[in-house]
Amino acid sequence: MKAICIKEPGQVVIQEMEMPVRKPGEALLKLLYGGICGSDLGSYRGANAYVSYPRVPGHEFSAEIIEIDDNDKGLKPGMIVTCNPYFNCGSCYSCKRGLVNACTDNQTMGVQREGAFAEYITMPIERIYDGKGLDPKVLALIEPFCISYHGVSRADVKPGERVLVVGAGTIGVLAAVAAKAKGAEVTICDVAPDKLDYAYKTFGLDHKLLNDSPEAFEKGVADLTNGDGFDVTIEAVGLPNTFQNCLDAACFGARVVLIGVSKRNIDDFFFTIIQKKELNIYGSRNAMKKDFLELIDLVKAGGVALEKIVTNTYKWTDAPKAFEDFAANAGKMLKVVIDFT
């Protein structure tokens, strides 16, 4: 079979690989659609804090079951499914407490272990979720929605609260959508006006804030909150300055959620701001099984037009161009999907 491989930063190739051999308790899957995650783009750029090379990317996907043993989940050949791509050890302190998404030896597909961007993959049956008839292209978007939804859940967003999401990429936009679904008044913020306008208009968000200068950001926060700051701020970029934005924009007693991942440090960090404002700061990593199951049902019920997040689709044989284009036009492209059909 063939697979997409990031050989090293800036180099994506289509290469021959051995067909995976299904083990007991696993299913053989045929890929249908896969989304290029921000972490995949980071791997391509050499900016991913966790990846090693060469690496088959991809952990957002839908697939068809080709082979599977009898199981108690009702999964059968021919079913269209998605999967939980965060492998956990099961024995560390986090896993023993049920925090499998924060396993100390976490291995996410496409990062610490080979990803899904191949014609065929195998997956443990326990990680496979019935797509319940969702379009395969939409089903491939459930995983990034889970990342965002998990972060919003960490903040326990309540109706009427003012929420600022910094970052109008896929994860940021879907975090804004999730917060809006919980009844919050949501502001989306970014440095890229095209992505900002697209997110604001397409998903019916309450406000937008163009972060084109420190002064503009400070004024925008003050205007939108009557000088009080936001009840919840969510960082979905992974840069020191955007995390600082979230701290600065938070009201006293606010909740701050960090979803973005970075290799960089914050220099001269005035950490007393956390004490002064009595901020509640939450890290948000990966997602849980319940996030997948709840969001499949939510999207199935028509609660979210998830397909609107897709701005570009490429055939899998054009993957090198997809990564190149995405890296060069990240300010305009939102979710890039790879078509394996």
Side-chain angles (χ1 to χ4, degrees), residues 4 17 23 26 40 43 48 50-59 84-89 103 105-117 121-124 127:
I4 298 165
M17 293 187 69
K23 300 174 184 176
E26 293 183 339
D40 295 322
S43 298
N48 190 316
Y50 302 120
V51 76
S52 59
Y53 304 92
R55 180 64 68 214
V56 174
H59 54 259
N84 183 328
Y86 329 115
F87 284 71
N88 62 290
C89 71
C103 170
D105 189 34
N106 172 80
Q107 293 191 3
T108 297
M109 293 175 66
V111 185
Q112 296 96 341
R113 65 190 292 143
E114 296 292 55
F117 285 2
I121 63 171
T122 56
M123 286 292 292
R127 294 184 168 277

Side-chain angles (χ1 to χ4, degrees), residues 145 148-149 151-153 155 157-165 172-187 205-206 232 234:
F145 197 9
S148 305
Y149 183 79
V152 170
S153 298
V157 172
K158 297 177 176 63
E161 289 190 312
R162 291 182 294 213
V163 175
L164 173 69
V165 179
V173 171
L174 292 179
V177 170
K180 185 72 175 173
K182 289 181 178 291
E185 179 184 327
V186 181
T187 298
L205 304 178
D206 298 291
V232 177
I234 300 174

Side-chain angles (χ1 to χ4, degrees), residues 151-152 154-158 161-165 221 225 227-235 243-258 273-283:
V152 170
R154 291 280 285 153
D156 191 23
V157 172
K158 297 177 176 63
E161 289 190 312
R162 291 182 294 213
V163 175
L164 173 69
V165 179
V221 170
T225 66
D228 295 327
F230 289 88
D231 302 295
V232 177
T233 62
I234 300 174
E235 202 286 337
F243 180 58
Q244 187 68 60
N245 286 155
C246 286
L247 297 177
D248 294 340
C251 70
F252 282 60
R255 286 100 71 200
V256 179
V257 181
L258 177 63
I273 193 67
I274 298 172
Q275 180 272 337
K276 180 180 180 180
K277 288 187 174 182
E278 197 174 63
L279 298 177
N280 302 280
I281 299 180
Y282 299 89

